[in-house]
Structure formats: structure tokens, C-alpha cells
Amino acid sequence: MPWLPAALKPIAGVRFERHVALCRRIRFAVMAAVNFLDVCISLNIMTDWSVISGHVLEPVAPTRQRRKEARPAELMAAALELFVEKGFAGTRLEDVAARASVSKGTLYLYFDSKEALFKAVVQEGIVPVLEAGAGLVDSFKGSSADLLREMLRVWWQHIGNTHLGGIPKLIISEAGNFPELAAYYNEAVIVRGRNLMRRTLQRGIDAGEFRAVNVEIVIDVIFAPVLMMMIWRYSLGPCCGNAHDPETYLNTHLDLALGGLAAPVAPRQRRKPK
């Protein structure tokens, strides 16, 4: 402090050092208080103010925590859109991160590869529908024809009529380049879906509703038109049009399929005249 008289420099220096020390103590106290509040919020601890004001505050998760918990779903939604738009090979992880408004480094905190991200999309989007279908088959009380209608309706509502309906076209077009991914999809989706249809058809045959058929072939015959409608929507449909109303299409398909499956009705025997 060259501008002070020599006699006052020691006094000013002491005061300055005390002031610095006081500022440090205040800063440390403020930081400790902030950290304590952060801990209280993260643990959903009710503050004294809620008691004083006579209102019990509902525990609210911190915004950052809520954002962190929602991030995997946001990343999977962004990935699904890009997989359907660009295919598996054409989708880059940096594009997924950008669409989800996060950094590529943040994406890697949840998914270590594009393959892992694709499997998560299938596991979280399609597999739960198949699991619900298994519960439907187990508990359904109506006819097997009604069960078959309900299964296809649920499949279309939750899979075919959403972005997930573009996944089969992706698998068909890129299975040769990504055989491991195709094998995963086969085990996670196709095998389970065929098993549900197999159980439904066999249920109808055992009850006498459906005639005896080659169940494995009929599974493919029933699935093929539904699969074709999904492929059309994500390939030629946007370019060529000619799209059918999905509900009308499915009802027409089921009417034809169930008509072919129906067990023949035995002709009534005429009474012989006395």
C-alpha cells in the first residue's frame, strides 16, 4: 500500500488481513449452508417453513434429479425416431445426442454403443407389449376368435401405429449387415410373438372353434399382412400413397383369416319319414 503514510502501513495491513479472513469465513459459511440445503432437497426433507406456515409441503424431486431420471427415455425416443428415419447404419450417436439435446458424452453415460441403444429401444418399447400379450392369453375368457382380434388390435395400437412399427422394416433391410442385431430381435420379439399366436391358435383348435391346421404356417399367414402394412407405411407409403385405413384393413384381414380357420359345421341330419 504505497499510498499510505509509513506509520499507518502496519495498522492498515492488520485490518486488511482481518477483513480477508472474515470474508473467507463468510464465504465458507455460505457454501456450507448451500450444501446443506442441497442435501435436504435431495433427501426430500421437509423444511421448518412448511411447519411454521401450517402447510405440509409435498416432497418434490430436484429438477436436476428428475431430468437425470428421464434422460434414458429421452435418448431412446430420439434414437427410435432416427432409426426409423435413417436406418441403423445411417444413425450416428452424435445425432441421437443432438436430437435429445444432450452431449455425446452424456449419452455414453447410459449407453455404451449404438447396438446397446437399439436393444434398449426394443426392450423398453416392444417387449412390454409382448409380455402384456402373454397375460392376455392367460386370462382371456372369451372365444379364441375374439382373443385373436384383441391381440392384433393391441399390437397395432402399441406397435404398428407408432414409430416402433418402423423397426421390422429396419431389421428386414439391415439384417444381413448386422446379423447379431437381427438374432437379438428374433429372440426378443419374433420368437415371443410366434409363441403367443401359437397358443391362441392351439386354444381354438382344442376348443373346436378352429379346424385342424398347420399352426406354424398359419402363424406366418396371419402375421404377413400386418407386417406388410407396417413395411408399406415406412417405405413406399410416403411416396406412393394408396394407404388403407388401418382399422378397415385389419378387420378385413381378420374376417378372411377367421373364416378360413372356422371349424366346419356338421350338416343336420334329416329325419326319416315314418
Side-chain angles (χ1 to χ4, degrees):
M1 302 176 195
W3 48 272
L4 286 175
L8 294 180
K9 285 185 179 181
I11 299 175
V14 171
R15 289 180 177 177
F16 180 78
E17 290 175 0
R18 289 178 179 175
H19 178 72
V20 170
L22 178 61
C23 289
R24 286 176 177 172
R25 286 196 294 271
I26 293 173
R27 182 167 62 89
F28 290 150
V30 171
M31 291 175 62
V34 170
N35 290 335
F36 175 75
L37 289 175
D38 285 342
V39 171
C40 290
I41 293 172
S42 64
L43 295 176
N44 291 329
I45 296 176
M46 184 175 62
T47 62
D48 289 340
W49 172 250
S50 65
V51 177
I52 295 171
S53 62
H55 299 285
V56 177
L57 301 179
E58 292 293 332
V60 178
T63 302
R64 185 177 299 177
Q65 181 180 345
R66 291 198 302 271
R67 174 72 174 166
K68 184 177 181 181
E69 292 172 352
R71 205 162 274 153
E74 294 171 354
L75 288 167
M76 285 186 285
L80 175 59
E81 291 178 0
L82 288 167
F83 286 147
V84 172
E85 292 173 13
K86 300 183 176 183
F88 185 79
T91 297
R92 303 183 306 167
L93 288 181
E94 49 262 43
D95 295 334
V96 175
R99 182 159 297 193
S101 301
V102 300
S103 67
K104 187 176 179 181
T106 298
L107 186 150
Y108 276 112
L109 293 176
Y110 301 95
F111 305 102
D112 59 6
S113 66
K114 187 164 63 171
E115 289 76 7
L117 184 53
F118 177 83
K119 290 178 180 180
V121 169
V122 172
Q123 189 66 35
E124 297 298 323
I126 300 179
V127 171
V129 179
L130 295 170
E131 292 174 344
L136 178 65
V137 174
D138 290 337
S139 61
F140 198 78
K141 302 301 182 182
S143 68
S144 295
D146 288 341
L147 173 58
L148 183 55
R149 287 184 181 276
E150 182 64 13
M151 284 180 58
L152 289 188
R153 185 194 67 79
V154 170
W155 176 264
W156 181 257
Q157 179 182 353
H158 295 283
I159 304 296
N161 202 32
T162 70
H163 281 304
L164 291 167
I167 295 296
K169 180 248 183 183
L170 180 153
I171 291 294
I172 291 171
S173 61
E174 303 194 56
N177 295 326
F178 302 97
E180 293 183 1
L181 215 60
Y184 165 77
Y185 184 82
N186 180 64
E187 290 297 320
V189 178
I190 296 176
V191 170
R192 292 183 182 184
R194 291 183 66 87
N195 185 53
L196 292 178
M197 187 60 67
R198 184 181 300 111
R199 291 175 59 191
T200 302
L201 293 171
Q202 194 61 53
R203 180 183 188 267
I205 294 170
D206 293 342
E209 294 180 60
F210 300 158
R211 63 189 178 89
V213 293
N214 185 322
V215 171
E216 297 306 312
I217 292 178
V218 173
I219 290 173
D220 291 330
V221 170
I222 291 176
F223 276 144
V226 181
L227 183 62
M228 183 60 198
M229 182 164 59
M230 289 191 290
I231 293 174
W232 181 269
R233 292 189 73 183
Y234 291 98
S235 57
L236 295 174
C239 306
C240 304
N242 299 327
H244 299 293
D245 172 66
E247 185 176 355
T248 303
Y249 180 96
L250 288 174
N251 286 335
T252 302
H253 166 49
L254 283 166
D255 287 344
L256 294 173
L258 292 172
L261 284 170
V265 178
R268 294 182 180 180
Q269 294 182 353
R270 294 182 180 180
R271 293 183 180 181
K272 294 181 180 179
K274 295 182 179 179

